[in-house]
Amino acid sequence: MKYLVHTLTGFASYIDPNKTNTVCGMAKWLGLKLNMNNTSANMFGSVINYLFFTVSLTFFFLSKKKWQESLFLSGILVSFLPSNWEYTLVYYVPVLFLFIKENNENLVQNKLSANIRIIIHSIAFAMIFSVDFIMLYYRYGLTSGVFTTTYLLIGENMLNITWERFKNCMNKAM
């Protein structure tokens, strides 16, 4: 364990802003785009990275759906360590299977908003697990496009859980 931690922290000592496959790298890239110096961008990346970890773990506990729980844990496994590479996207495969299993109902029985969310999630998973035409022309490369899609998927589910909790609180208050 000692050598594993040493190896992981050794890889994390340099954050490459061109590797947006981690939250830290994406945040550093954003910091540099906002004209931060390298030291400030590194600090910004580290803070955002630990914030992502904390928020994802919190939403893991708030989620009531297995596929969302798996999404948040997979997001941590894939995007938290700055030493991660593209192969870690395989951690989203169980998320996809759980999503399919939990949304295997007849789409006709769902509300329109639920069907739209299922379609959007299906498109996001298709973009993650295939080399699609849109990502080939994404400005920052195919890999950045795929990881940007995972960040958007995680963020959308965090917003959805927050909205559902807010609605439940408002319904109880009335």
Side-chain angles (χ1 to χ4, degrees):
M1 286 304 291
K2 178 182 169 183
Y3 291 116
L4 175 65
V5 171
H6 175 70
T7 301
L8 292 175
T9 56
F11 280 131
S13 62
Y14 172 71
I15 304 165
D16 186 356
N18 296 319
K19 293 202 49 74
T20 55
N21 59 325
T22 62
V23 172
C24 199
M26 181 69 91
K28 181 176 180 182
W29 172 83
L30 180 62
L32 292 173
K33 291 291 180 188
L34 295 173
N35 294 323
M36 291 182 183
N37 64 29
N38 199 41
T39 305
S40 298
N42 274 336
M43 180 62 76
F44 179 68
S46 295
V47 168
I48 295 298
N49 198 36
Y50 285 105
L51 182 65
F52 169 78
F53 175 81
T54 305
V55 171
S56 292
L57 200 56
T58 301
F59 276 95
F60 164 76
F61 289 111
L62 293 176
S63 177
K64 294 185 191 299
K65 298 177 182 175
K66 291 289 182 197
W67 79 267
Q68 286 179 326
E69 291 175 357
S70 182
L71 174 70
F72 297 128
L73 288 182
S74 296
I76 291 170
L77 289 172
V78 172
S79 300
F80 178 66
L81 289 176
S83 59
N84 282 351
W85 292 85
E86 291 78 12
Y87 63 85
T88 58
L89 284 170
V90 74
Y91 293 134
Y92 286 111
V93 171
V95 178
L96 175 63
F97 290 154
L98 288 169
F99 173 78
I100 291 169
K101 181 181 176 190
E102 291 182 27
N103 291 292
N104 197 16
E105 314 161 345
N106 188 352
L107 290 175
V108 176
Q109 296 173 349
N110 289 338
K111 295 179 185 176
L112 179 62
S113 62
N115 286 340
I116 291 171
R117 287 192 74 242
I118 290 171
I119 291 168
I120 289 171
H121 284 82
S122 299
I123 292 169
F125 282 120
M127 292 172 77
I128 293 168
F129 292 113
S130 67
V131 179
D132 61 276
F133 184 73
I134 296 169
M135 291 301 172
L136 289 176
Y137 294 101
Y138 185 66
R139 180 177 178 184
Y140 300 104
L142 175 66
T143 303
S144 285
V146 170
F147 281 94
T148 301
T149 303
T150 64
Y151 303 146
L152 292 173
L153 184 64
I154 291 169
E156 190 279 331
N157 280 281
M158 287 177 177
L159 289 173
N160 182 263
I161 290 171
T162 303
W163 176 250
E164 291 298 321
R165 290 235 170 214
F166 176 75
K167 282 191 337 189
N168 288 340
C169 288
M170 294 305 288
N171 288 337
K172 287 179 183 179
M174 293 182 167

